[in-house]
């Protein structure tokens, strides 16, 4: 039985990569929420600036995973 392949990668490997990326994104969001809770609880100084910097850093660090996930989803939709 011939395996379906998308640009050199089997569909099974693409699905595995998708699950891994979903786990990375979900874990990153949970970690961001926990860190924001920690900032709110323990930091008494200039929280507003710290929250803005932390949220922007979290979004920028998760952006490559989201872009790769959208690319994999478009590959699967094309087949």
């Amino acid at each position: 039985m011939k395996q379906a392949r998308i640009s050199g990668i089997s569909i099974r490997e693409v699905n595995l990569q998708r699950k891994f990326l979903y786990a990375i994104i979900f874990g990153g969001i949970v970690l961001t929420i926990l860190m924001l809770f920690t900032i709110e609880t323990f930091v008494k100084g200039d929280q507003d600036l710290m929250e803005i910097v932390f949220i922007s850093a979290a979004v920028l660090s998760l952006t490559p995973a989201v872009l790769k996930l959208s690319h994999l989803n478009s590959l699967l939709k094309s087949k």
Side-chain angles (χ1 to χ4, degrees):
M1 185 159 117
K2 188 176 180 183
Q3 224 179 18
R5 299 185 77 74
I6 299 174
S7 68
I9 305 173
S10 70
I11 292 178
R12 184 173 185 214
E13 292 171 355
V14 171
N15 284 329
L16 184 64
Q17 285 181 1
R18 279 182 62 216
K19 289 179 185 178
F20 183 68
L21 288 172
Y22 277 124
I24 288 174
I25 292 168
F26 180 72
I29 291 170
V30 169
L31 184 64
T32 302
I33 290 170
L34 288 174
M35 291 300 289
L36 285 174
F37 176 73
T38 304
I39 289 171
E40 286 290 326
T41 304
F42 297 115
V43 176
K44 302 290 190 239
D46 190 15
Q47 289 180 348
D48 296 334
L49 181 63
M50 192 179 301
E51 289 173 354
I52 292 170
V53 168
F54 186 76
I55 290 172
S56 61
V59 168
L60 288 174
S61 66
L62 290 176
T63 300
V66 172
L67 291 175
K68 175 126 180 159
L69 182 64
S70 68
H71 176 71
L72 290 176
N73 284 336
S74 66
L75 278 177
L76 284 174
K77 285 181 183 178
S78 70
K79 291 290 177 180

